[in-house]
Amino acid sequence: VRVLVLQAAWALVGGQVRYSVPEEAKSGTVVGRLAQDLGVEAGEVEARRLRLVPKGHGGGDERTSVEVSGASGALVVSSRLDREELCGKSAPCALRLEVLVERPLRVFHVELEVTDINDNAPLFPAARKNLSIWESSPPGSRFPLEGASDADIGANAQLSYKLSPSEHFALEVKSKDEKKTSVALALTKSLDREAMAEHRLVLTASDGGRPSLSGTMELVISVLDVNDNTPEFNQSVYNVKIPENVAVGTLLLQVTATDKDEGINKEITYAFSQAVSEEVKELFMMDPKSGELRIIGRLDFEDVQSYDLEIEAHDKGNPTLIGHCSVELEVLDVNDNAPEVWVTSLSVPVAEDAPLGTVVALLSVSDRDSGSNGHVRCTVWPSSPFGLVSTFEGSYSLVLREALDRERVSEYEVEVRAEDGGAPPLHARRALRVPVSDVNDNAPAFAQAVYTVLARENNAAGAELARVWARDPDEAGNGRVSYSLWEGASASGSGWRSASSYVSVDAESGRVWALQPLDYEELQVLQFEVRAVDAGEPSLSGNATVQLFVVDENDNAPSLLPPAGGGAGPWAVGAAGSPSSELSSSSSSGWSLWAWASWGSPAGQVVAKIRAVDADSGYNAWLRYELQEARGKGAFRVGLYSGEVSTARALEEADGPRQTLLIVVRDHGEPARSATATLSVSLGEGSEAALAAGVGAASSGSVLRGSISGVEGGASVSATTNVWLVVAICAVSSVFLLAVVLYGASRWSPRASVLSGPGPTTLVCASEVGSWSYSQRQSRSVCVAEGAGKSDLMVFSPNFP
């Protein structure tokens, strides 16, 4: 079979390939070199998956008629191509195909025109046609005949008619337009039923094909007698235009015919001609009496655009005479078909770092209506981050217009909306689900930049101190976080030590564990960083600072200090005009102290001073002194916070030569801890007490030279007391002023450093009006947040014995 390829060329404006193939071409016939025409190399046909995709409804029949050869990329016939089945009477018969090519993804439109061959002969509605004609019919009478139809188109469907020879009848053929031809049997000579009651003629229809095909119909004409006036319509052709959505029961028109006969021969009934098909009769109804033509079915412009109805008027004569007219109905299109949207290709999921312009889906849009009713506009909702790009008429690409962020939106419900140009417009929607795939673009972030943790000292090893938590909004491995101790150190009594010697961080949970018991006296503040790292590739990380403050517990009892002079028997200040007294200690359990006082010393005379210190801080290091005495009124008392032992009344000889006092030093912790000291006070005359004091001073390394009279000794002691009082007052004032300056500086200074190392031992400064305790450490300034620093200087209320 010789294959005729009529056309295969690019249409540069539309980007289409057009081919032509005759119908009934054999399977395997090459229609065109599709791959070559599309610019696809022969070796890339299979790799780029060159293939046809259906386009809308009916695409399945088109796709099975032709196919793409996998090896050569040629478009070949795969099954029988019958133009009449595919397109009917439509001309030209063009099949619109979509060709999809990947890498890169592109879609092309291919138009395949199936040309007609003369494979259908003209066909009459019936092989035999019976006509009844009155013998009184005058010459020139016309009798409409049903013409033949030819399924072909063009010249192959142009019919010519020929009637077998007859002296009474001739054939009249009139062309109404290019598509419609009326055929009528004309009476050329009066009939005589008595001479010939029946005439048999053959009507032949031939088409214009080469070679020409023909069809025949036998005409059997019966000659009837008398009733010689046929009904006549007031119009031979009625033209009606109706919209396709006309309501059922609507009156289209009323035909009217008249008959010149009288009586029963004048009564007329109306009916459809036998040429009207049953399908048409299901849409229209003719009232036999009134001649009203009404609609009884639903019209569809997309199926049939016009109807040609042959109406007959029958009289009641014997025989019945029939008049004929034609009703030409033109169906007007209305916007009764909504647009249709199909997804021809969908590439999901889309990576959140996909570049702008990435094609996500290919769509096809169509509308069965015509004119503006079939013009479709497409939009996408929401308008971001995707947009529509028109590639060809009725074809769109859904592309990425804005950057994606899976952590903000992990999946998009995209709706493609189509609207035609009708009034009112009709709409169609197509929903697409576009998931977004994750990339590792988010580092772990802690809930807090700085964690402040309070932990009591003497905690158990392995105790949980705190828990840090970091969030990574990525998914799967990109969001799986592990923790580690990054850096940190602390100053302790033994020097700087790494934070890893004190704490550890659980890699999965972020729990901070203590590796050893904490000691406030060794470590007050520990600062370190915790790093959170995700499992992405490459991995991302985040840091958080942990400030661990050790809270003091009352785990240290007060410690008594040796005498101020450092020897076995330092001397303490006595009353004016009285001998000095002496204070000493021993290294046995507790402290054994002694002092000297003279009889006659007035009440309030300080005979000794107990000094103690507590390694704890705060209330745990705030000391108070108590005297445990026998029943009755004692001769001595001790300052509650100063530790000074003084006379409670004037001393008498009845008090005896020696008084033994038991002094208890307690802190304010819960529970309180204490230490005890035994003070032995020797009583005597003023000269004896002074002598004892001098001996004690010499044994302690103090310098006391010359003999001292009672009056001079008293004056010396009084002068020394005044000097120390002035020094004490100046010291207290200086400390108070320094505290005020430090407080103001901490309030308005920028953020301070977190740590300073432990300082030397700070002794207790005491007086009758109050005391300040630092407990063997310097004052520290701790800055936890953006606020001002705070000092741990503690000021207690004055206490009066």
Side-chain angles (χ1 to χ4, degrees), residues 700-788:
S700 64
S702 301
V703 180
L704 289 176
R705 305 190 182 275
S707 61
I708 304 174
S709 66
V711 176
E712 291 174 351
S716 176
V717 171
S718 176
T720 304
T721 302
N722 291 336
V723 171
W724 283 108
L725 286 176
V726 171
V727 171
I729 292 173
C730 292
V732 170
S733 300
S734 300
V735 171
F736 177 77
L737 181 59
L738 179 61
V740 171
V741 172
L742 292 177
Y743 178 77
S746 65
R747 290 286 292 178
W748 288 284
S749 64
R751 184 170 181 173
S753 60
V754 176
L755 287 176
S756 63
T761 301
T762 302
L763 300 181
V764 177
C765 300
S767 71
E768 281 295 312
V769 297
S771 64
W772 293 262
S773 175
Y774 295 82
S775 304
Q776 294 185 346
R777 59 193 50 82
Q778 283 184 332
S779 172
R780 290 174 174 79
S781 178
V782 180
C783 185
V784 176
E786 292 297 333

Side-chain angles (χ1 to χ4, degrees), residues 201-373:
L201 303 175
V202 176
L203 178 62
T204 302
S206 301
D207 59 26
R210 291 174 180 266
S212 176
L213 300 179
S214 62
T216 60
M217 179 178 66
E218 183 182 15
L219 300 178
V220 179
I221 303 171
S222 299
V223 180
L224 303 178
D225 197 18
V226 189
N227 192 17
D228 53 356
N229 288 291
T230 60
E232 294 182 359
F233 287 93
N234 55 358
Q235 291 180 228
S236 61
V237 177
Y238 294 85
N239 294 296
V240 180
K241 295 183 179 181
I242 54 174
E244 62 175 322
N245 62 344
V246 62
V248 174
T250 300
L251 176 64
L252 302 181
L253 82 159
Q254 184 176 14
V255 297
T256 303
T258 58
D259 195 317
K260 297 180 180 179
D261 293 328
E262 296 290 336
I264 194 172
N265 293 331
K266 190 177 181 180
E267 296 181 9
I268 298 174
T269 58
Y270 301 93
F272 288 117
S273 169
Q274 294 181 359
V276 179
S277 65
E278 294 296 327
E279 290 79 5
V280 175
K281 292 180 180 179
E282 293 177 355
L283 299 176
F284 305 97
M285 181 189 70
M286 173 62 68
D287 189 297
K289 294 183 178 180
S290 63
E292 293 179 347
L293 181 64
R294 295 183 181 271
I295 183 77
I296 60 173
R298 296 290 182 182
L299 302 180
D300 191 350
F301 174 84
E302 287 69 39
D303 291 338
V304 181
Q305 292 78 40
S306 64
Y307 294 91
D308 192 354
L309 306 179
E310 295 291 337
I311 307 299
E312 296 179 346
H314 299 256
D315 62 20
K316 294 184 178 180
N318 190 12
T320 300
L321 298 181
I322 303 174
H324 301 270
C325 76
S326 177
V327 177
E328 296 182 356
L329 291 173
E330 181 181 354
V331 181
L332 304 179
D333 183 38
V334 297
N335 193 25
D336 60 342
N337 289 281
E340 295 177 313
V341 182
W342 299 278
V343 179
T344 58
S345 179
L346 181 63
S347 299
V348 293
V350 181
E352 63 177 320
D353 61 347
L356 301 184
T358 299
V359 177
V360 178
L362 298 177
L363 304 107
S364 295
V365 181
S366 65
D367 193 315
R368 295 182 62 201
D369 292 322
S370 62
S372 60
N373 296 333

Side-chain angles (χ1 to χ4, degrees), residues 163-178:
L163 187 65
S164 58
S166 172
E167 62 176 336
H168 294 281
F169 298 96
L171 189 65
E172 289 186 2
V173 179
K174 293 182 179 180
S175 296
K176 298 181 179 180
D177 53 36
E178 294 180 356

Side-chain angles (χ1 to χ4, degrees), residues 28-295:
T29 299
V30 177
V31 178
R33 300 183 181 277
L34 181 60
Q36 180 179 345
D37 294 337
L38 295 181
V40 179
E41 298 294 335
E44 296 178 351
V45 172
E46 295 182 353
R48 297 187 63 183
R49 298 187 62 191
L50 178 66
R51 63 188 185 276
L52 295 178
V53 294
K55 181 181 179 182
H57 59 278
D61 294 340
E62 299 167 12
R63 206 162 62 111
T64 56
S65 299
V66 292
E67 64 182 8
V68 177
S69 175
S72 62
L75 187 66
V76 299
V77 176
S78 60
S79 62
R80 178 175 177 263
L81 279 173
D82 189 343
R83 192 205 63 79
E84 287 73 28
E85 289 182 2
L86 293 175
C87 302
K89 299 292 288 184
S90 298
C93 180
L95 305 183
R96 300 184 184 276
L97 309 175
E98 284 188 352
V99 179
L100 194 65
V101 179
E102 297 182 354
R103 303 176 186 173
L105 181 63
R106 294 189 61 187
V107 63
F108 299 90
H109 286 203
V110 175
E111 185 174 288
L112 177 61
E113 180 181 359
V114 181
T115 59
D116 184 46
I117 64 173
N118 193 23
D119 59 340
N120 291 280
L123 181 66
F124 286 93
R128 179 175 177 176
K129 173 70 174 178
N130 294 317
L131 296 175
S132 297
I133 302 177
W134 295 100
E135 62 176 337
S136 57
S137 298
S141 299
R142 297 174 65 257
F143 305 95
L145 299 177
E146 298 172 58
S149 61
D150 194 322
D152 295 322
I153 60 173
N156 296 330
Q158 292 181 359
L159 302 181
S160 59
Y161 295 89
K162 181 179 180 182
L163 187 65
S164 58
S166 172
E167 62 176 336
H168 294 281
F169 298 96
L171 189 65
E172 289 186 2
V173 179
K174 293 182 179 180
S175 296
K176 298 181 179 180
D177 53 36
E178 294 180 356
K179 296 182 179 180
K180 296 181 180 180
T181 301
S182 63
V183 180
L185 188 64
L187 183 62
T188 58
K189 183 179 178 181
S190 299
L191 299 175
D192 185 2
R193 192 190 67 83
E194 289 70 26
M196 181 179 292
E198 185 178 271
H199 297 263
R200 289 183 177 270
L201 303 175
V202 176
L203 178 62
T204 302
S206 301
D207 59 26
R210 291 174 180 266
S212 176
L213 300 179
S214 62
T216 60
M217 179 178 66
E218 183 182 15
L219 300 178
V220 179
I221 303 171
S222 299
V223 180
L224 303 178
D225 197 18
V226 189
N227 192 17
D228 53 356
N229 288 291
T230 60
E232 294 182 359
F233 287 93
N234 55 358
Q235 291 180 228
S236 61
V237 177
Y238 294 85
N239 294 296
V240 180
K241 295 183 179 181
I242 54 174
E244 62 175 322
N245 62 344
V246 62
V248 174
T250 300
L251 176 64
L252 302 181
L253 82 159
Q254 184 176 14
V255 297
T256 303
T258 58
D259 195 317
K260 297 180 180 179
D261 293 328
E262 296 290 336
I264 194 172
N265 293 331
K266 190 177 181 180
E267 296 181 9
I268 298 174
T269 58
Y270 301 93
F272 288 117
S273 169
Q274 294 181 359
V276 179
S277 65
E278 294 296 327
E279 290 79 5
V280 175
K281 292 180 180 179
E282 293 177 355
L283 299 176
F284 305 97
M285 181 189 70
M286 173 62 68
D287 189 297
K289 294 183 178 180
S290 63
E292 293 179 347
L293 181 64
R294 295 183 181 271
I295 183 77

Side-chain angles (χ1 to χ4, degrees), residues 327-610:
V327 177
E328 296 182 356
L329 291 173
E330 181 181 354
V331 181
L332 304 179
D333 183 38
V334 297
N335 193 25
D336 60 342
N337 289 281
E340 295 177 313
V341 182
W342 299 278
V343 179
T344 58
S345 179
L346 181 63
S347 299
V348 293
V350 181
E352 63 177 320
D353 61 347
L356 301 184
T358 299
V359 177
V360 178
L362 298 177
L363 304 107
S364 295
V365 181
S366 65
D367 193 315
R368 295 182 62 201
D369 292 322
S370 62
S372 60
N373 296 333
H375 181 70
V376 181
R377 299 182 301 274
C378 283
T379 58
V380 62
W381 185 92
S383 57
S384 63
F386 301 102
L388 283 178
V389 176
S390 178
T391 54
F392 301 102
E393 182 180 359
S395 297
Y396 292 87
S397 296
L398 183 67
V399 299
L400 185 63
R401 289 281 177 80
E402 297 179 6
L404 301 177
D405 186 358
R406 190 205 63 83
E407 288 69 40
R408 184 173 61 89
V409 181
S410 61
E411 184 176 279
Y412 290 89
E413 292 292 338
V414 181
E415 189 175 79
V416 178
R417 298 176 176 179
E419 178 183 276
D420 61 25
L426 298 179
H427 305 82
R429 299 180 179 183
R430 176 70 66 178
L432 300 175
R433 186 178 66 87
V434 182
V436 182
S437 60
D438 184 49
V439 296
N440 191 26
D441 58 345
N442 290 278
F446 283 90
Q448 301 172 221
V450 178
Y451 290 83
T452 301
V453 180
L454 301 178
R456 291 189 176 276
E457 65 173 329
N458 302 320
N459 60 289
E464 181 180 341
L465 302 179
R467 181 176 181 179
V468 296
W469 178 76
R471 177 180 178 272
D472 193 324
D474 293 323
E475 66 178 357
N478 295 334
R480 187 168 60 251
V481 179
S482 60
Y483 304 89
S484 62
L485 187 64
W486 181 240
E487 64 179 18
S490 173
S492 62
S494 58
W496 287 89
R497 297 180 62 183
S498 172
S500 60
S501 62
Y502 292 101
V503 294
S504 66
V505 178
D506 186 82
E508 294 184 359
S509 65
R511 289 184 171 89
V512 180
W513 308 97
L515 297 178
Q516 62 182 9
L518 301 176
D519 186 358
Y520 178 83
E521 288 69 42
E522 177 188 352
L523 175 70
Q524 291 80 45
V525 181
L526 177 64
Q527 177 172 301
F528 55 90
E529 287 192 357
V530 176
R531 166 167 285 193
V533 182
D534 60 28
E537 190 64 37
S539 61
L540 302 177
S541 63
N543 295 343
T545 300
V546 179
Q547 293 179 343
L548 176 63
F549 292 88
V550 182
V551 180
D552 182 45
E553 288 190 344
N554 193 23
D555 57 346
N556 292 283
S559 299
L560 293 169
L561 298 176
W571 58 274
V573 179
S578 64
S580 300
S581 57
E582 186 181 79
L583 180 64
S584 64
S585 64
S586 65
S587 60
S588 60
S589 61
W591 285 93
S592 295
L593 312 171
W594 62 89
W596 294 264
S598 61
W599 291 318
S601 297
Q605 175 65 52
V606 177
V607 298
K609 180 171 181 175
I610 307 300

